[in-house]
Amino acid sequence: MLGRYEKSSFLTRHRRAISLSSAVIVSVVLVGALSTYHADDQSLFHASSYQAPMHNMFGSFGANLAACMLYCFGGMGSLGLISMLLWYVYN
């Protein structure tokens, strides 16, 4: 007779570890994009004919992501990400 642990799938058994790993990866990418934001990077909200070098560590994707986060949440965007990660880790 199979026990309950043996019947459950891999995703069910490791749901918390997978969700925590996903949250950490997303938070690291968002904080990295926000911390290397530069106002002169080409993004959805800033376009120029002058092709300046990209300053964001994630390139064009990071520049667009950081611009959207700063446009929607302002400077509190990075603080919100850090607090969300800390809440998830300690709960």
Side-chain angles (χ1 to χ4, degrees):
M1 192 153 119
L2 294 175
R4 179 183 168 166
Y5 183 76
E6 294 170 320
K7 288 182 191 177
S8 63
S9 69
F10 176 80
L11 293 177
T12 305
R13 287 186 309 226
H14 300 290
R15 179 177 47 130
R16 181 165 172 81
I18 291 170
S19 60
L20 178 62
S21 299
S22 300
V24 167
I25 290 170
V26 168
S27 297
V28 166
V29 168
L30 288 174
V31 169
L34 283 169
S35 65
T36 58
Y37 172 77
H38 195 274
D40 291 335
D41 286 344
Q42 299 241 348
S43 67
L44 296 171
F45 305 110
H46 179 265
S48 173
S49 60
Y50 174 67
Q51 294 295 324
M54 192 67 64
H55 295 93
N56 199 299
M57 70 187 292
F58 293 107
S60 174
F61 172 74
N64 286 319
L65 185 63
C68 287
M69 289 292 292
L70 287 174
Y71 180 75
C72 293
F73 301 112
M76 295 300 290
S78 59
L79 183 63
L81 289 171
I82 293 169
S83 63
M84 176 187 72
L85 178 63
L86 290 175
W87 175 82
Y88 191 79
V89 167
Y90 290 111
N91 275 337

